[in-house]
Amino acid sequence: MTTYIIRRVAWLIPVVFVVSVITFLLMHAAPGTPFQPVSDRPLPPAVIERLEEQFGLNEPIYIQYVNWVGNILQGDLGPSYRIRGRGVSDIIADNMWASVQLGTMSFALAVILGIPLGVIAALRQNKWPDYLSTFISVIGIATPSFVLAVLLVLIFSVTLHWFPTSGWRGPEYWVLPVVALSGYGIAQVARYTRASMLEVTRRDYVRTAQSKGLKERSIVTVHMLRNAFIPVVTILGPLLAGLITGSFVVESVFAIPGIGRFFVDAIFQRDYGLIMAVTLLYAVLIAVMNLVVDVAYAWIDPRIRYS
Amino acid sequence: MTATDDDRRVDPGSPAVAELPDTEKLPEAVSLETEEGRRLAAQLADEKARHARKLLEVRDLSTQFFTKDGVVHAVDRVSFELDYGETLGLVGESGCGKSVTALSLTRLVPDPPGKITSGEVIFDGVDIMKLSSEEMRLLRGKRIGFIFQDPMTSLNPTLTIGFQIAESARLHLGLSNRAANDRAVELLSKVGIPRARDRMGDYPHQFSGGMRQRVMIAIALACDPMLLLADEPTTALDVTIQAQILELIRSLSDEFGTAVILITHDLGIAAGMCHRVNVMYAGQIVETGVVDDLFENPRMPYAWGLLDSLPRLDEERGSRLRTIEGMPPDLIHVGDDCRFAPRCPYSRDICLEDEPQLTEREGPDHLARCWGTEPGRAWIE
Ligand SMILES: Nc1ncnc2c1ncn2[C@@H]1O[C@H](COP(=O)(O)OP(=O)(O)O)[C@@H](O)[C@H]1O
Ligand code: SF4
Ligand SMILES: [Mg+2]
């Protein structure tokens, strides 16, 4: 298991390297520069030249890359080309936390609610708990997070005044955004868990467990759940990545000071420094999530662990 | 194949367990005044009652599956008995209801769509059809062990084999973790897994098919059951491994005094392992008898067919029927006829008009379901 984890962690290095090169090249291949905005008042060429010099953009491209990576390794994600006087590191440090909180809480909720919903649905197949769970799943998958967000605000903030409409200042601010963002995740996890449990119910080893006279409860918890989790785990990695990177819509609706919003702004403003940094950050995050999922996968399924 | 091993077969009338205890002598030996004496007396009375009855009495057992296409009569009014310690074969082509019969005995038929629709199953004096599901659960694994056909899929891939063996010992015998583990190690070495203690923490995929079936046997015997249901335990294995696994089942059931119902489609296996054989066809028992008797003198064309598909030296029976042509009937459209009639070269009008019953042939121990050999009207020679 340890060698497996080490092997998987070692894999992160080439992955991150390749992503960094691609990000860097894409940004430089993109037409225009941050200093040529699509505005009616272009900067004089002399100013642009001075700015490019200031940011090192007149160097050959591989030097720029080496500089960029060198700085990143020292913890400096480089300058923002648009927001004067603030480094990308500062911007990310200030805004990352809210996004990470939102993403992980939504993920946790998706797992904590989705798995029991799926399990109960499978154990009560074609009875009312199953229908209720399926109903929730269909709604959850079909409703985009911004619709859910707006609905939640209308009902629980505007009408009932239970929760604040916007901001990110404490637990009462978390509830609605987390629910809005996790709706889809809950539905997906429930759907996969149900299908997987039903599949496992028909397996021979479950019949073996029954023939051993085990209690219904231990057949489900000891013999079925673990096996049923195996396919569910494979969707958790993409789900978590999606929740963290895809949170900008919810961040906008609830005015949460998260990185997602900055990212969107950065794209519109061609703030390449910020775009590159955030892209790289997301790439690393997703790679790490996948790693965590793979390790969880191996932990659950000994056939992987020992191969 | 271990086809002939005569010392294994005992007279079905005399079960392979201890001598009948004599309670009449009891008052002289022990006093009923003492607790010990009463306990002993009760124990002896219990033993005596056991000898008076069978381990298993199945009467008119029917199990049906209620499917979209109709009702599948998978097991149709099956009756048979089993002595303590006896080995009984359940033989027939695939789809004739062997597995469902075994599952019905432990009430493990998947429901829906399956239902046991009639019958009694008296196990060790208890009608298991009348037990609550909790009482039934306590019999499974403890009194009745199960070995399934495919060892590749019958073990849980995410649990160590040590856990899977110790689990039922812990549950049914109330053993501590440590004691249950020790028992599992003991069982593992008994079933012939080398370095048993080291392999407790291994997972099923780290074993070969034959080794997994040994593990399965260890699981089935974990609580020293009175009855072992072995459903085609060697069908999925290499021919070379088959004999070893059968030998293992035989020696362990002898050692523990476990009765065995061995399900197989291979009469050769049944011949080598069993005291009695029930031949099943289309959900019914069509012939039953002591192994020698049944093999010497089968009284039902389907049984001849099964026998003739065995390789044998004397060609005598080959003239009657080489292989059984055709397919077993679907079990949805069953009527009042002989179910073998469409495939039977001896069939006559009566076979299509009336259902033959299991009746005696040459003595009360050999029954067959066939008009053609029915005493008084037989036309087959
Ligand atoms: N779960 C099920 N649903 C419907 N029919 C079934 C089911 N299980 C078994 N059957 C039917 O019951 C009959 C007997 O099956 P089985 O006992 O498995 O045969 P075998 O003698 O090969 O063990 C077959 O016709 C089979 O199609
Ligand atoms: S009853 Fe008739 S059809 Fe059926 S096995 Fe006997 S002879 Fe053949
Ligand atoms: Mg079968």
Side-chain angles (χ1 to χ4, degrees):
Chain A
M1 189 74 182
T2 318
T3 39
Y4 177 82
I5 295 177
I6 291 172
R7 212 165 60 215
R8 288 304 323 253
V9 171
W11 251 108
L12 280 183
I13 295 165
V15 168
V16 171
F17 172 73
V18 169
V19 169
S20 74
V21 171
I22 292 174
T23 313
F24 189 80
L25 290 181
L26 273 181
M27 282 307 114
H28 282 262
T33 80
F35 313 118
Q36 281 173 339
V38 245
S39 87
D40 25 323
R41 207 161 49 83
L43 295 169
V47 176
I48 291 180
E49 209 170 292
R50 217 180 50 235
L51 279 171
E52 287 190 340
E53 202 170 315
Q54 185 191 330
F55 288 113
L57 297 181
N58 52 351
E59 306 268 6
I61 192 157
Y62 64 93
I63 300 277
Q64 288 186 37
Y65 176 78
V66 170
N67 287 341
W68 183 57
V69 171
N71 287 335
I72 290 176
L73 290 180
Q74 290 163 31
D76 179 6
L77 289 170
S80 163
Y81 299 137
R82 307 288 301 191
I83 305 169
R84 194 180 298 270
R86 291 193 70 195
V88 171
S89 304
D90 291 338
I91 297 174
I92 289 180
D94 287 349
N95 297 282
M96 188 69 198
W97 187 226
S99 287
V100 168
Q101 279 179 312
L102 177 60
T104 38
M105 281 192 285
S106 303
F107 178 75
L109 191 66
V111 172
I112 290 170
L113 283 185
I115 286 177
L117 265 178
V119 170
I120 291 167
L123 294 181
R124 299 277 171 274
Q125 194 193 0
N126 298 331
K127 308 221 167 70
W128 71 263
D130 187 19
Y131 294 132
L132 180 68
S133 163
T134 308
F135 180 73
I136 294 175
S137 292
V138 170
I139 301 277
I141 288 169
T143 316
S145 57
F146 68 88
V147 175
L148 194 54
V150 171
L151 274 177
L152 288 173
V153 170
L154 282 178
I155 298 172
F156 295 103
S157 303
V158 178
T159 311
L160 295 172
H161 301 289
W162 288 359
F163 301 105
T165 52
S166 63
W168 194 253
R169 288 191 289 271
E172 70 271 31
Y173 291 87
W174 298 344
V175 177
L176 296 187
V178 166
V179 172
L181 186 56
S182 59
Y184 177 80
I186 295 171
Q188 278 292 30
V189 172
R191 215 165 60 106
Y192 269 82
T193 307
R194 175 181 183 273
S196 179
M197 279 295 282
L198 286 179
E199 159 77 24
V200 166
T201 312
R202 288 191 289 271
R203 292 299 176 85
D204 286 351
Y205 54 75
V206 172
R207 193 184 51 190
T208 304
Q210 289 168 338
S211 79
K212 286 157 80 175
L214 303 179
K215 295 194 180 86
E216 178 70 27
R217 186 161 33 89
S218 48
I219 292 177
V220 172
T221 55
V222 179
H223 287 263
M224 290 172 63
L225 276 185
R226 205 180 169 102
N227 286 288
F229 280 157
I230 293 171
V232 176
V233 165
T234 54
I235 65 152
L236 293 186
L239 180 69
L240 180 51
L243 287 177
I244 289 181
T245 57
S247 63
F248 60 87
V249 174
V250 172
E251 285 176 16
S252 302
V253 173
F254 291 96
I256 296 167
I259 203 73
R261 244 173 8 131
F262 260 94
F263 193 41
V264 176
D265 289 348
I267 289 170
F268 283 123
Q269 296 174 351
R270 300 192 197 190
D271 190 345
Y272 293 154
L274 191 55
I275 296 175
M276 285 194 300
V278 176
T279 308
L280 191 62
L281 193 73
Y282 279 168
V284 172
L285 254 177
I286 291 171
V288 170
M289 293 313 154
N290 278 328
L291 170 80
V292 170
V293 165
D294 281 355
V295 170
Y297 203 69
W299 179 69
I300 293 178
D301 190 347
R303 285 164 296 189
I304 294 172
R305 205 182 318 158
Y306 288 89
S307 59
Chain B
M1 192 56 30
T2 52
T4 50
D5 190 349
D6 284 342
D7 42 64
R8 165 70 178 162
R9 290 181 214 132
V10 298
D11 180 352
S14 67
V17 283
E19 284 292 287
L20 198 72
D22 192 352
T23 27
E24 309 302 272
K25 287 195 187 132
L26 193 64
E28 297 163 29
V30 290
S31 157
L32 285 173
E33 305 293 291
T34 67
E35 180 130 343
E36 174 69 9
R38 278 194 296 274
R39 197 184 57 74
L40 219 72
Q43 196 180 325
L44 286 174
D46 188 43
E47 292 253 316
K48 186 170 185 179
R50 266 194 196 191
H51 283 277
R53 67 173 182 244
K54 305 277 181 178
L55 170 63
L56 185 69
E57 292 166 69
V58 179
R59 281 190 216 113
D60 275 329
L61 178 69
S62 294
T63 302
Q64 302 175 346
F65 291 95
F66 297 85
T67 67
K68 283 191 208 77
D69 302 327
V71 180
V72 181
H73 299 257
V75 176
D76 191 10
R77 289 161 291 156
V78 161
S79 303
F80 63 91
E81 293 179 344
L82 183 67
D83 279 319
Y84 289 85
E86 186 186 354
T87 296
L88 172 77
L90 215 53
V91 185
E93 285 167 300
S94 159
C96 66
K98 307 182 297 289
S99 297
V100 176
T101 302
L103 290 172
S104 302
L105 298 182
T106 47
R107 284 171 42 188
L108 279 176
V109 179
D111 172 17
K115 267 226 151 47
I116 298 171
T117 49
S118 78
E120 277 182 333
V121 176
I122 316 284
F123 175 78
D124 197 28
V126 180
D127 185 351
I128 68 160
M129 294 302 161
K130 297 209 172 80
L131 295 180
S132 69
S133 48
E134 182 67 7
E135 290 164 331
M136 187 63 229
R137 181 177 73 69
L138 292 173
L139 278 187
R140 286 185 208 124
K142 185 176 188 184
R143 297 272 177 249
I144 306 177
F146 227 126
I147 307 174
F148 296 101
Q149 174 170 343
D150 190 352
M152 302 316 250
T153 56
S154 296
L155 294 171
N156 192 321
T158 59
L159 299 171
T160 64
I161 58 148
F163 179 88
Q164 296 187 57
I165 300 169
E167 193 178 23
S168 43
R170 218 168 42 216
L171 176 76
H172 292 302
L173 307 180
L175 298 184
S176 67
N177 282 342
R178 175 185 291 257
N181 266 334
D182 289 345
R183 174 143 182 89
V185 172
E186 185 196 321
L187 282 158
L188 265 186
S189 31
K190 262 214 151 73
V191 297
I193 305 269
R195 298 184 299 109
R197 193 168 285 279
D198 299 341
R199 305 225 55 185
M200 288 282 288
D202 285 351
Y203 291 88
H205 74 274
Q206 293 166 290
F207 294 81
S208 68
M211 286 292 161
R212 286 191 218 188
Q213 199 60 306
R214 288 173 191 266
V215 171
M216 196 64 222
I217 293 171
I219 292 176
L221 295 179
C223 302
D224 194 4
M226 302 165 112
L227 173 61
L228 181 64
L229 300 172
D231 189 353
E232 312 230 16
T234 59
T235 306
L237 301 176
D238 276 2
V239 183
T240 46
I241 312 287
Q242 287 188 3
Q244 295 172 17
I245 296 292
L246 290 172
E247 183 51 40
L248 180 66
I249 293 176
R250 178 219 301 271
S251 65
L252 290 181
S253 63
D254 271 357
E255 183 181 338
F256 294 143
T258 318
V260 179
I261 295 183
L262 178 71
I263 295 179
T264 173
H265 59 260
D266 185 339
L267 263 186
I269 290 178
M273 294 279 293
C274 305
H275 308 130
R276 291 182 69 86
V277 168
N278 288 343
V279 179
M280 282 190 81
Y281 185 76
Q284 298 179 322
I285 293 181
V286 292
E287 182 156 2
T288 174
V290 181
V291 160
D292 294 320
D293 216 14
L294 193 102
F295 275 62
E296 278 309 305
N297 192 18
R299 303 306 297 150
M300 153 74 190
Y302 177 64
W304 291 327
L306 281 184
L307 278 171
D308 282 341
S309 40
L310 281 181
R312 46 188 307 141
L313 292 176
D314 60 326
E315 282 296 306
E316 184 211 320
R317 223 171 264 119
S319 53
R320 283 205 270 217
L321 191 70
R322 266 256 139 248
T323 49
I324 312 169
E325 310 252 321
M327 297 278 291
D330 80 63
L331 299 178
I332 295 177
H333 305 102
V334 291
D336 280 342
D337 54 2
C338 169
R339 300 202 179 158
F340 189 58
R343 301 168 73 185
C344 180
Y346 307 99
S347 79
R348 292 193 181 173
D349 284 351
I350 184 171
C351 307
L352 301 172
E353 285 156 10
D354 216 350
E355 186 176 53
Q357 302 299 318
L358 262 185
T359 50
E360 290 183 11
R361 302 286 186 282
E362 290 110 36
D365 245 347
H366 190 167
L367 310 179
R369 187 190 289 277
C370 174
W371 290 125
T373 62
E374 176 91 18
R377 56 156 31 100
W379 64 83
I380 307 179
E381 218 5 83

